[in-house]
Amino acid sequence: MRIEVKLKAFEAATPLIADLNFSVEEGEIVALIGPSGAGKSTLLNIIAGLDTDYDGNIANVPERPVGLMFQEARLMPWLTALENITLVAPASHPDPQSEAKKLLSLVGLEKDINSYPARLSGGMAKRLALARAMMFNPGVLLMDEPFSSLDAPAAESLRRLLLTLKKEKPFSIIYVTHDLKEAVTIADRVLILDAKPMTIVHQEIISLPRPRFLHDEAVNEVCKPLYNAFPALLYGDTDR
């Protein structure tokens, strides 16, 4: 997939994104990190086709759909776990219930198939949201700080689950995060973004072997020079 955003502005005199160009290879995980208000969530909406009011082009889009996982689980509270997944099944799917049950098993929710979202913990709700995103069989999954609201063990568990699902059905990921260590832990490549307008100021290839964990010394060694080089962009960021 090739992303080119020449200009995105909510007000003509105030560009939010300008001259932004990058590609995502098949099966690659690209993490985006930058200051609050840089427009990372807006960029994901552009890539997903939810925002078409910009100058640019999204090219080489995979034949399989683009999936999107938000900061909030955004589950339908009146539907069971199974129904939340089958709700988004393509009309052409031959057996959405069987596929949904398989996905619930993969994310460890097979015993909660008939549970409503209010009965699920925060981590379980995010597992359900991830299973729902997988129902699209995405070629690219866009993730907007998907685990930021969880405690450290739950977030770690979901990062491992995400990589397991990726092995089951390979897909690319564009992953927005406010945490550089998380970006280095999960990504093949990290793009550091500036703001007003959003531009790419640095690209870091992550070649550390997997599995990687937040407190690995090797992860810290990758992060230290980046924190030193871009302190204003990497400290204290929370996305819009």
Side-chain angles (χ1 to χ4, degrees), residues 18 24 34 42 53 60 68 79-80 97 106 112 123 138 153 157 161 167 179 197 199 207-210 216:
V24 181
T42 299
D53 185 20
N60 301 327
L68 183 58
L79 299 179
T80 65
Q97 287 225 350
L106 285 172
D112 300 281
S157 174
L161 174 60
K167 287 182 180 178
D179 185 334
T199 54
S207 57
L208 300 176
R210 300 181 189 277
D216 287 348

Side-chain angles (χ1 to χ4, degrees), residues 1-8 17-26 28-32 39-49 51 54-62 66 139-142 172-176 189 191 193 198-200 203:
M1 174 182 278
R2 181 74 191 174
I3 294 98
E4 178 186 17
V5 181
K6 296 177 182 177
L7 180 65
K8 169 64 183 181
I17 305 172
D19 298 322
L20 184 78
N21 293 275
F22 67 97
S23 60
V24 181
E25 302 301 324
E26 185 175 352
E28 185 181 23
I29 304 175
V30 176
L32 307 179
K40 300 186 291 292
S41 298
T42 299
L43 177 62
L44 291 191
N45 287 334
I46 289 172
I47 297 170
D51 186 340
Y54 71 98
D55 180 13
N57 186 45
I58 310 299
N60 301 327
V61 180
V66 174
V140 177
L141 180 60
L142 310 178
S172 304
I173 300 173
I174 301 176
Y175 192 101
V176 166
R189 186 159 46 107
L191 302 182
L193 307 171
M198 178 199 284
T199 54
I200 297 170
Q203 171 179 274

Side-chain angles (χ1 to χ4, degrees), residues 150-167:
L150 301 176
D151 60 37
E156 178 61 40
S157 174
L158 277 163
R159 284 191 292 271
R160 303 278 73 78
L161 174 60
L162 175 64
L163 296 177
T164 298
L165 291 173
K166 187 174 178 295
K167 287 182 180 178

Side-chain angles (χ1 to χ4, degrees), residues 75-126:
L75 302 171
M76 301 297 106
W78 57 88
L79 299 179
T80 65
L82 180 67
E83 291 167 341
N84 263 283
I85 299 179
T86 56
L87 177 68
V88 302
S92 60
H93 199 293
D95 191 354
Q97 287 225 350
S98 292
E99 181 66 15
K101 289 177 182 178
K102 178 183 176 182
L103 288 168
L104 284 168
S105 179
L106 285 172
V107 302
L109 293 177
E110 62 275 10
K111 294 181 180 179
D112 300 281
I113 188 170
N114 293 315
S115 296
Y116 290 91
R119 300 293 301 273
L120 304 178
S121 68
M124 293 166 72
K126 289 296 181 75

